[in-house]
Amino acid sequence: MAILENIRKRTTVLILIIGLALFAFVISGVFTSGDLGGGKVGSAVGEINGEEISRDAFTQQLETATRNAPPASSTLQNVNRVWDRIVKNTILEQQFEDLGVGIEQDQIFDFIRTTGYAQNPEFQNENGVFDPNSFRQTVADWKVNNPLQYDGWLQTEQAIIQMAKEQTYYNLVKAGIGATLKEGELDYKLANDKIDIKYVRIPYSSIPDSALTVTKAEIAAYINDHQEEFKQESTRDIQFVYFEEKPSLDDENTVKDEISKLIGDTVEYSEERDVMDTIAGLRNAKDITAFLDRKSDVKFDTIYKARKNLPASFADSLMTLNTGEIFGPYKDGDFYKVSKMVDRKPNGSVKASHILITYEGAQRANPEIKRTKEEAEARAKELFRDAKKGDTPFVELARDNSDGPSAPNGGDLGYFQEGTMVPKFNDFAFGNTVGTIGMVETDFGFHVIKIDDKEDIVQIATLARELEPSDETINTLFTDATKFEMESIANEESFSDLAKENDYVVRPVNRVKAMDENLPGLGAQRAIVQWAFNEDTEVGEIKRFNVNNGYAIVQLTGTYKEGLMSVEDASASVLPKIRKDRKATQIIGANTGKSMEDLAKDNNVTVSNASALTVKSPTIPGAGAEPVVVGTAYAMEQDQTSDLIKGESGVFKITVTKRTPAPKLENYSTYASSLKSSSAGKVNTAVYDALKEKSEIEDNRATFY
């Protein structure tokens, strides 16, 4: 009691002490973790040229984008779409501000005239023309009476303003793009001046790679001299073993046994009537629909099917069944099945082609067709006679003369079952043999019909049970995954060796980026990517993840920082380039001053010829694309011989044997205009890409999503 009394007297002091302790506990993480949110630095999703993209603003746009996105879109896909849009809008808006690009209200209405709003009768005058005043009045009404629609309009208005600004900005750039007649003439000549050459090519492959030694210092020097080619993003390498929840062989056999027992009749005790009842199986079931409703995972499909619509691996066996016969059990995908032939319709599906000649007033006739019914009948009879003669293939007659939608396909209607077509067409198709050509009249017009093929169709009842892992299988899988995880963490043996000992497949995934979502073999696994990029995750670390239908035991095997690639990482792409340069130098050094014939003889190659080469298509037969070689030839005079040329596939020496200038044109304005249009068409993408390349962009998306 004395202790309790002392506590009561010191309540204020005690509360203060507890408060200070809690405060110390909370702030201690600030100084030990180095951030304020478990690795999430600040509240900005990113920064573009010094302008922060706050998380709140980003989240608002993300919520809107998610509502409007297709149902199958993942969160990360929506995040990426919003980020790309914000980056583009921010970069361009900074340009608009610097240049003073703005949009007036009349420009907004000019833009609206090109949208769906202008087609809405609510915004049109009595002449059916878009009326800005009507639009203003409607928007004002939304503001008072329909706030939700008004908010939607405000977002649309901002998008319109942005698009209008972009259009103005890009048009300013396009105004400075042009092409002179001389440029048009040059473009014409580069495509049409023909050059014939005689050449010798000493391929780089004549010197084996093993004859050259390339040091790490040389690779490093090459990387340093070509830094733009060897920039890399921050990436990770991982490897994993996937433990998939799938039926075991025992599970499959259990389902197979269960479904086999349902084929024949079974005897069961009826407690209600105190007798043994015989329960009809699939073979003797009177009501097949009710039987499959009770016993099968797939309902009875009453549709008659042709061979091509049956499971490919079992179609032949199923089609040979007589009515009432059983096939199975058989495994088809994720099911065990037993099938029973219920009915067969010989020649129950017909393949036919037709020529439709319609007339004004016929059902679904094209309004442009003005022929009378009598004229249509006469034309159809004429085509019927031509088809019967057989001088012109039916396909051509249909393609050139039919008014029906199947005309482009030569009148082919494909296969159809009885009752699909209108009665007269149906009766002709099913009442005549293959190859018969006839003519019938329907409400659509006059049809010249050819029967191309017939095939049997069958009605099959299938008892199916889906293959699923049993509880025992699932528990065993969990045990195996956990055991492998623990052993791989505790064991000094390598992850791959341990997996090999247990007959597990190790799957590597290299160069995973921070904003990647899908991993080959696992699908969408954002949690694994985030773990791999967590600053606390070290190379060699192993972790188990619950994934779709199982578990993945994942190991981080490599990290790559943003910047220049290391010598080891770049060597695969650098080595061929250094070797090519060294081989070219070696070949040129050993063969300088030689004639073409001596060059060919000394290097065990032949003198070859190539004709009609152009700069626009610089491909040499037998050598491939050689722009430097063809470009050199273009600058040479006829009968002139070049020095040794370093090409793409080898070292060349060429002689221009013939030059054929393109015919002169009176005017090259067409080619100049084409150049201008081509350049203008690239402006939007090229300008934005250039601005983005020069922008300083800090991307923190991976921290939050």
Side-chain angles (χ1 to χ4, degrees), residues 230-241:
F230 297 98
K231 285 183 177 178
Q232 67 177 8
E233 295 182 50
S234 176
T235 57
R236 300 289 185 268
D237 289 347
I238 63 171
Q239 60 182 2
F240 67 90
V241 173

Side-chain angles (χ1 to χ4, degrees), residues 301-325:
D301 186 355
T302 59
I303 295 174
Y304 284 78
K305 295 179 180 178
R307 180 191 303 270
K308 64 178 178 290
N309 301 122
L310 299 175
S313 300
F314 308 101
D316 290 341
S317 299
L318 292 170
M319 288 299 294
T320 58
L321 293 174
N322 294 317
T323 301
E325 286 187 337

Side-chain angles (χ1 to χ4, degrees), residues 22 29 58 114 124 147 204 206 213 230 256 295 379 457 516 567 572 592 594 608 631 649 666 694:
L22 288 172
F58 190 89
T114 66
Q124 295 174 347
Y204 296 129
S206 62
T213 301
F230 297 98
K256 184 179 179 181
K295 304 294 185 180
R379 179 59 178 150
I457 54 176
D516 281 349
V567 169
T592 299
K594 292 182 181 179
S608 303
S649 61
E666 290 185 8
K694 294 298 181 182

Side-chain angles (χ1 to χ4, degrees), residues 222 226-231 565 577:
Y222 189 94
H226 303 81
Q227 293 189 16
E228 287 299 317
E229 295 179 34
F230 297 98
K231 285 183 177 178
M565 297 173 69
K577 297 177 180 180

Side-chain angles (χ1 to χ4, degrees), residues 485-498:
E485 177 195 14
M486 295 175 67
E487 287 181 350
S488 59
I489 292 173
N491 205 319
E492 293 184 0
E493 196 172 3
S494 75
F495 186 89
S496 299
D497 290 342
L498 188 61

Side-chain angles (χ1 to χ4, degrees), residues 172-207:
L172 288 172
V173 179
K174 290 175 184 178
I177 291 177
T180 65
L181 291 177
K182 274 295 181 184
E183 289 173 315
E185 181 181 359
L186 176 61
D187 188 62
Y188 169 73
K189 288 182 176 180
L190 292 178
N192 295 284
D193 281 357
K194 303 289 193 301
I195 308 162
D196 295 354
I197 65 170
K198 179 172 67 173
Y199 70 93
V200 170
R201 178 178 70 108
I202 306 170
Y204 296 129
S205 58
S206 62
I207 300 175

Side-chain angles (χ1 to χ4, degrees), residues 251-317:
D251 295 335
E252 291 187 11
N253 289 332
T254 298
V255 173
K256 184 179 179 181
D257 291 342
E258 289 175 355
I259 205 169
S260 297
K261 292 175 182 177
L262 294 172
I263 297 174
D265 298 345
T266 57
V267 178
E268 296 180 3
Y269 173 70
S270 173
E271 187 175 347
E272 183 181 334
R273 297 190 298 126
D274 192 26
V275 295
M276 301 298 289
D277 279 345
T278 299
I279 309 299
L282 178 65
R283 190 185 307 278
N284 297 317
K286 302 298 182 184
D287 187 343
I288 198 71
T289 301
F291 178 83
L292 293 180
D293 282 346
R294 293 194 311 272
K295 304 294 185 180
S296 176
D297 291 339
V298 177
K299 305 302 180 185
F300 180 36
D301 186 355
T302 59
I303 295 174
Y304 284 78
K305 295 179 180 178
R307 180 191 303 270
K308 64 178 178 290
N309 301 122
L310 299 175
S313 300
F314 308 101
D316 290 341
S317 299

